[in-house]
Amino acid sequence: MAAVVSLKAAAETDVPAMLAIYAPLVLNSSVSFEYEAPSLAEFRERFRRISGRYPWLKAEVDGRTAGYAYASTVFERAAYQWTAGLSVYIAADHQRLGLASKLCGALEELLRQMGYRILYAVISADNSGSLSFHHRLGFKEVGRFRRAGFKLGQWRDVVWMEKILNPAEGPPLPPIAFSALDETTKAGALAK
């Protein structure tokens, strides 16, 4: 029997399951440049801070959280408000099932509808799988910072990639907060 996959807006009750996916990546890889996994309280606060303004989505496989993706602020200054950063994490036992593509596709559609123009991804240069994945999604490399981070005993380059979501035409309206986006638009993006 085929697994049942669904995408949903993540809720605060999903924080422990999402942290269980993220923590091993922090501790055992250069996927994240954090040294220590955040505590449950820290991760819950991160979720609260981000999820009102930006989409934070989860993928479930047979009712179990198997991955998540969210957008967040890249730059703080007002003139950058039409840009967002992408983060996507998939549980080790659910990789290569297309979950990251589905999550990113839904996230991109929501950000387009919200009025964002550019989506950035910041990736450790030694993470060839993530670089290839983002290229397949249409991201282009726009910069490389040499030896920008020290993780797991070595200096690591960081690659910045971007994807244009909406054209730059005329003065834009401010982006809509995810919490203010209508439910029909949310449901449509998650159903794709």
Side-chain angles (χ1 to χ4, degrees):
M1 178 191 290
V4 177
V5 176
S6 60
L7 300 185
K8 299 177 180 179
E12 194 167 327
T13 55
D14 299 312
V15 167
M18 293 185 297
L19 180 56
I21 293 168
Y22 183 64
L25 297 171
V26 170
L27 299 173
N28 304 314
S29 77
S30 62
V31 168
S32 167
F33 273 25
E34 289 191 75
Y35 282 174
E36 296 179 17
S39 69
L40 184 57
E42 289 172 309
F43 204 67
R44 184 173 283 119
E45 181 54 35
R46 189 178 298 181
F47 176 80
R48 287 177 184 154
R49 188 178 65 252
I50 293 170
S51 63
R53 181 173 174 195
Y54 296 99
W56 189 312
L57 309 177
K58 68 172 182 171
E60 288 185 349
V61 175
D62 295 332
R64 179 178 158 246
T65 300
Y68 66 97
Y70 63 91
S72 60
T73 301
V74 179
F75 307 108
E76 293 293 330
R77 304 286 191 260
Y80 294 116
Q81 67 185 292
W82 295 275
T83 66
L86 167 67
S87 297
V88 59
Y89 304 100
I90 306 299
D93 59 340
H94 286 92
Q95 294 188 3
R96 306 216 184 278
L97 299 177
L99 299 179
S101 295
K102 290 178 190 227
L103 284 165
C104 289
L107 193 70
E108 288 175 20
E109 180 58 28
L110 289 165
L111 291 169
R112 274 188 201 92
Q113 296 293 326
M114 294 165 65
Y116 284 91
R117 178 170 146 28
I118 302 174
L119 185 58
Y120 289 104
V122 181
I123 304 164
S124 178
D126 61 335
N127 190 345
S128 59
S130 185
L131 293 170
S132 296
F133 169 74
H134 284 82
H135 278 294
R136 285 192 307 274
L137 290 181
F139 282 78
K140 306 289 184 216
E141 184 173 327
V142 293
R144 181 178 292 253
F145 297 96
R146 307 262 180 227
R147 295 178 179 89
F150 189 81
K151 180 83 186 267
L152 299 176
Q154 66 187 89
W155 288 102
R156 300 189 186 268
D157 292 356
V158 174
V159 175
W160 276 71
M161 301 182 83
E162 75 174 9
K163 184 172 184 176
I164 305 300
L165 301 176
N166 283 309
E169 298 173 346
L173 295 172
I176 300 165
F178 182 64
S179 59
L181 196 62
D182 69 84
E183 294 303 317
T184 303
T185 300
K186 289 179 184 178
L190 295 172
K192 291 183 179 182

